[in-house]
Amino acid sequence: MEILLIIRFCCNCTYALLYKPIDRVTRSTLVLHDLLKHTPVDHPDYPLLQDALRISQNFLSSINEDIDPRRTAVTTPKGETRQLVKDGFLVEVSESSRKLRHVFLFTDVLLCAKLKKTSAGKHQQYDCKWYIPLADLVFPSPEESEASPQVHPFPDHELEDMKMKISTFKSEIQKEKANKGQSRAIERLKKKMFENEFLLLLNSPTIPFRIHNRNGKSYLFLLSSDYERSEWREAIQKLQKKDLQAFVLSSVELQVLTGSCFKLRTVHNIPVTSNKDDDESPGLYGFLHVIVHSAKGFKQSAHLYCTLEVDSFGYFVSKAKTRVFRDTTEPKWDEEFEIELEGSQSLRILCYEKCYDKTKVNKDNNEIVDKIMGKGQIQLDPQTVETKNWHTDVIEMNGIKVEFSMKFTSRDMSLKRTPSKKQTGVFGVKISVVTKRERSKVPYIVRQCVEEVEKRGIEEVGIYRISGVATDIQALKAVFDANNKDILLMLSDMDINAIAGTLKLYFRELPEPLLTDRLYPAFMEGIALSDPAAKENCMMHLLRSLPDPNLITFLFLLEHLKRVAEKEPINKMSLHNLATVFGPTLLRPSEVESKAHLTSAADIWSHDVMAQVQVLLYYLQHPPISFAELKRNTLYFSTDV
């Protein structure tokens, strides 16, 4: 008994004298990081804060080097040391349904677990679902992999609805805190937000990651990012280079190993916003402009391209892709992309070798597998990117160096519409002026872009969602503005995503949105009506209230988007996806409206955008609307809904 008391006393002393001071330094380091982030570069305290942060980080690094092996290891009953190398939350496909698992990679075994449900006050524990000794773990090649179990994909519109609900809950929580609302009300909102974030995290991943036990069955995970899939694969393969022996864990050994997971884990919370501390950065909201310049360091010539990923709502999504630079060791893309950020904090760049071998098709998603040559990640520091000037940097990955530049435009700035000062051209010019000059009902630029997309881009995966190359879009803009006779030839040679991007840019740069500033409040009120008949009457009356050039162009675009959505099984663009892309462009609040409505950057993805998407979706889901029919109908309804 006395020995136990002495041990307990020693443990308490160790915590008070060793871990508590280190914990304080860790917290101080986080505070210094935030102070530095919000201190102007020219402030006299800035270099002092930099020095203090560097000293703190160096101290923690030296401590971590000493204590990490002991803190991340467990001793087996045989006296061997088994160290935790990596852990994280992954979505497993089990019995044709998605399950969120916590996966632990040890030096000799991969263990898949889930948290047990425990009553209040009791310690949480993991329940082992399965494990594979690394000596028995193999990655099936595309031709060897079996067809995946049937998992019904979550409808895109439901995923978008979840995002909007999350943003709405976030906005309501901020308002409650600002008004010093009741903690019970805030906790209730946080719970609802967590439920939607959990569902989004569970149902959004689509990239297959299959592992196989050479003595038994296969297991399939779904990931949201190819970067993440590559990290897991590389970590496992690195450990497999060692001399590993196959084994079977006894029930006692498995119990000890699973029991150690709770203490050893490095990822404590599901990666959702509601698990973040209040003082953590909310991320960036707006548009990130990225130019991928070039890459060097390849040992052999190959067909090379890059993709860009950013985090959004707790997971990473691929946002842009360069063209394939063929048969080279030094690709020079010089391609610019505009990427929409929704609370993003990181940018990832992945470099691939293009594979044209059709036998190497992944049976889990029927896509040809390209080889990742390198990957890297950078933090999106607001002080670095929130400038008018381009910030150029180099990211190193597996001996490869990729040069890129970036700059950021906030949501507030992106809402501003600047009328064109020139008398000619089509961008930034009123639609009525353009159609009158051209003697047409629909602007020539709209007709030509739509025709080209329908001719060769209607089956393109992610058409209108995937960013086109900004330099190509600017070239098309210049040609349309100059009314160059080579427009048609240039369109036929141009990448289809650039043409789709040019059409979106045209509508975004109109002096006022296509559905007009004047009618914006009425559209917002009309879509909120609960009575179907009243909503129908109101929404049709609002269309009749549009100027003729706006209405005819809108109906023309509407029918085009419906035809694009008919190819959804191939292009993955549903009506809801298209409404999400075009809604905020065709129907934006005026600057006065936006200043009155928006209390923070995050609000942009809440009330207004949700309603803008719903307005366009209403018309997309509506039976065909005829201009002549609308004009024949002379029923009058007030726009004061």
Side-chain angles (χ1 to χ4, degrees):
M1 187 67 182
E2 287 180 4
I3 292 171
L4 288 173
L5 287 171
I6 291 168
I7 291 170
R8 185 175 295 175
F9 174 75
C10 290
C11 288
N12 290 338
C13 287
T14 302
Y15 176 76
L17 297 173
L18 292 178
Y19 292 111
K20 209 166 186 180
I22 292 168
D23 187 52
R24 281 179 185 160
V25 176
T26 305
R27 289 174 181 272
S28 299
T29 304
L30 292 171
V31 172
L32 282 169
H33 185 272
D34 284 343
L35 275 172
L36 193 65
K37 197 160 47 175
H38 295 99
T39 302
V41 179
D42 55 357
H43 194 280
D45 289 344
Y46 190 83
L48 296 173
L49 287 169
Q50 272 187 318
D51 287 342
L53 181 61
R54 178 176 49 77
I55 291 165
S56 294
Q57 287 176 333
N58 288 344
F59 172 74
L60 288 174
S61 295
S62 64
I63 293 293
N64 286 336
E65 283 173 12
D66 291 337
I67 66 174
D68 266 1
R70 290 195 294 275
R71 292 181 68 194
T72 60
V74 59
T75 304
T76 68
K78 296 177 182 177
E80 299 166 347
T81 300
R82 178 176 284 132
Q83 192 168 327
L84 178 66
V85 176
K86 180 180 175 63
D87 69 299
F89 290 95
L90 299 180
V91 174
E92 184 190 9
V93 177
S94 176
E95 298 173 352
S96 297
S97 64
R98 295 168 181 250
K99 312 281 186 184
L100 192 65
R101 306 294 196 207
H102 200 152
V103 181
F104 296 85
L105 175 62
F106 290 90
T107 41
D108 62 346
V109 65
L110 184 75
L111 185 142
C112 179
K114 75 164 192 173
L115 268 176
K116 287 182 180 178
K117 288 184 180 178
T118 54
S119 53
K122 286 195 174 182
H123 289 297
Q124 286 187 306
Q125 289 182 320
Y126 281 102
D127 177 28
C128 176
K129 302 307 295 180
W130 51 264
Y131 72 90
I132 306 177
L134 296 190
D136 292 328
L137 190 152
V138 292
F139 298 106
S141 62
E143 53 269 23
E144 290 172 341
S145 63
E146 57 202 66
S148 62
Q150 190 63 37
V151 183
H152 297 292
F154 218 66
D156 285 329
H157 69 272
E158 291 191 31
L159 293 176
E160 293 299 331
D161 283 345
M162 281 180 208
K163 290 181 184 179
M164 290 175 183
K165 283 178 185 176
I166 291 163
S167 295
T168 303
F169 289 134
K170 196 182 296 182
S171 177
E172 288 176 4
I173 290 167
Q174 288 171 349
K175 286 173 185 173
E176 283 285 337
K177 286 179 179 176
N179 298 330
K180 296 183 178 176
Q182 293 183 354
S183 58
R184 192 175 294 176
I186 293 172
E187 287 306 313
R188 198 160 45 242
L189 287 168
K190 279 187 174 179
K191 185 181 177 184
K192 288 180 180 177
M193 183 168 134
F194 175 81
E195 287 169 356
N196 279 275
E197 286 192 302
F198 180 83
L199 281 173
L200 184 63
L201 196 68
L202 189 67
N203 292 291
S204 55
T206 57
I207 297 174
F209 176 50
R210 185 181 289 279
I211 55 177
H212 179 70
N213 185 337
R214 66 173 87 247
N215 298 321
K217 61 182 288 191
S218 291
Y219 301 94
L220 176 66
F221 293 106
L222 296 176
L223 283 66
S224 62
S225 158
D226 207 8
Y227 189 104
E228 188 182 5
R229 176 169 64 176
S230 177
E231 278 195 324
W232 278 99
R233 184 189 289 267
E234 286 172 10
I236 291 169
Q237 288 175 333
K238 185 178 179 181
L239 293 169
Q240 287 180 324
K241 289 178 181 177
K242 299 173 183 176
D243 184 23
L244 298 173
Q245 301 297 318
F247 58 85
V248 176
L249 292 173
S250 68
S251 58
V252 174
E253 287 175 316
L254 185 58
Q255 191 175 351
V256 169
L257 182 61
T258 308
S260 71
C261 288
F262 190 78
K263 291 180 181 178
L264 298 178
R265 62 185 180 163
T266 61
V267 181
H268 292 79
N269 296 315
I270 297 169
V272 293
T273 318
S274 46
N275 281 336
K276 284 186 178 181
D277 294 333
D278 292 341
D279 57 355
E280 284 190 61
S281 169
L284 294 171
Y285 289 82
F287 293 92
L288 184 70
H289 300 262
V290 181
I291 302 175
V292 183
H293 294 294
S294 59
K296 55 180 64 173
F298 297 97
K299 293 175 182 175
Q300 293 180 328
S301 292
H303 307 314
L304 303 164
Y305 69 93
C306 284
T307 63
L308 307 178
E309 295 181 353
V310 293
D311 56 316
S312 171
F313 293 90
Y315 60 95
F316 280 81
V317 286
S318 184
K319 287 284 190 175
K321 175 182 173 182
T322 68
R323 69 184 184 278
V324 178
F325 214 98
R326 291 174 176 269
D327 198 21
T328 182
T329 57
E330 293 192 3
K332 293 180 181 177
W333 296 286
D334 288 322
E335 294 184 54
E336 182 185 338
F337 302 95
E338 182 184 77
I339 298 172
E340 188 170 6
L341 303 183
E342 303 163 58
S344 306
Q345 294 178 309
S346 302
L347 168 70
R348 288 172 171 176
I349 300 180
L350 295 92
C351 196
Y352 290 85
E353 179 183 355
K354 181 69 179 173
C355 175
Y356 292 100
D357 185 351
K358 292 184 179 180
T359 62
K360 298 196 173 180
V361 173
N362 191 323
K363 293 178 184 175
D364 290 317
N365 59 1
N366 292 319
E367 291 181 5
I368 293 176
V369 180
D370 293 337
K371 181 183 177 183
I372 294 180
M373 304 297 288
K375 64 188 191 314
Q377 175 173 310
I378 57 163
Q379 294 300 115
L380 296 175
D381 181 3
Q383 281 202 332
T384 304
V385 297
E386 284 185 331
T387 61
K388 292 181 180 178
N389 301 321
W390 288 94
H391 170 72
T392 303
D393 206 345
V394 173
I395 192 165
E396 294 195 33
M397 44 177 88
N398 294 359
I400 299 163
K401 293 182 179 180
V402 176
E403 185 183 354
F404 66 99
S405 300
M406 60 182 177
K407 67 177 180 178
F408 173 72
T409 306
S410 68
R411 276 288 187 185
D412 294 340
M413 291 298 294
S414 70
L415 281 170
K416 292 182 179 178
R417 291 174 178 260
T418 308
S420 174
K421 293 178 182 177
K422 59 186 187 299
Q423 299 299 312
T424 58
V426 293
F427 281 84
V429 180
K430 285 185 179 180
I431 198 166
S432 56
V433 172
V434 173
T435 50
K436 187 176 181 180
R437 186 203 305 147
E438 293 178 352
R439 297 181 183 178
S440 62
K441 293 181 177 179
V442 175
Y444 178 72
I445 181 174
V446 176
R447 286 182 281 125
Q448 289 306 316
C449 288
V450 164
E451 183 181 320
E452 200 63 34
V453 168
E454 293 195 1
K455 187 190 298 179
R456 60 188 178 90
I458 204 161
E459 294 187 353
E460 183 81 10
V461 174
I463 188 69
Y464 289 121
R465 180 179 58 79
I466 298 293
S467 300
V469 178
T471 43
D472 289 347
I473 293 170
Q474 290 302 318
L476 282 171
K477 176 184 176 180
V479 168
F480 275 110
D481 268 341
N483 196 20
N484 194 302
K485 63 179 188 297
D486 295 328
I487 288 175
L488 294 180
L489 180 63
M490 193 170 176
L491 278 174
S492 63
D493 288 341
M494 194 63 76
D495 175 68
I496 200 65
N497 287 316
I499 295 169
T502 304
L503 182 62
K504 290 189 292 181
L505 184 67
Y506 169 73
F507 285 118
R508 194 191 307 156
E509 291 196 358
L510 284 173
E512 72 166 348
L514 190 65
L515 299 187
T516 73
D517 287 332
R518 180 178 64 86
L519 293 176
Y520 182 79
F523 275 112
M524 294 298 97
E525 292 175 12
I527 199 63
L529 291 172
S530 55
D531 179 71
K535 182 184 281 190
E536 166 78 10
N537 289 335
C538 176
M539 298 301 278
M540 290 303 112
H541 174 66
L542 287 171
L543 286 187
R544 285 194 295 275
S545 304
L546 287 169
D548 282 1
N550 296 54
L551 175 57
I552 295 170
T553 301
F554 178 67
L555 295 178
F556 178 81
L557 180 66
L558 209 60
E559 291 309 305
H560 164 63
L561 296 179
K562 287 181 180 180
R563 288 191 288 273
V564 172
E566 286 173 4
K567 299 288 186 179
E568 182 192 351
I570 303 169
N571 62 31
K572 312 298 182 191
M573 293 301 289
S574 63
L575 288 175
H576 197 283
N577 276 346
L578 293 164
T580 302
V581 171
F582 278 93
T585 299
L586 303 179
L587 193 76
R588 286 192 185 188
S590 64
E591 284 189 53
V592 175
E593 282 281 329
S594 64
K595 284 176 183 174
H597 279 71
L598 299 179
T599 56
S600 74
D603 282 344
I604 198 78
W605 257 105
S606 55
H607 305 292
D608 273 0
V609 169
M610 192 188 302
Q612 291 157 15
V613 171
Q614 290 303 319
V615 167
L616 182 54
L617 186 61
Y618 179 86
Y619 291 123
L620 284 170
Q621 292 175 334
H622 196 280
I625 303 167
S626 158
F627 175 79
E629 193 82 20
L630 278 172
K631 290 299 180 180
R632 268 201 303 271
N633 192 334
T634 55
L635 291 174
Y636 293 96
F637 297 94
S638 171
T639 57
D640 299 326
V641 186

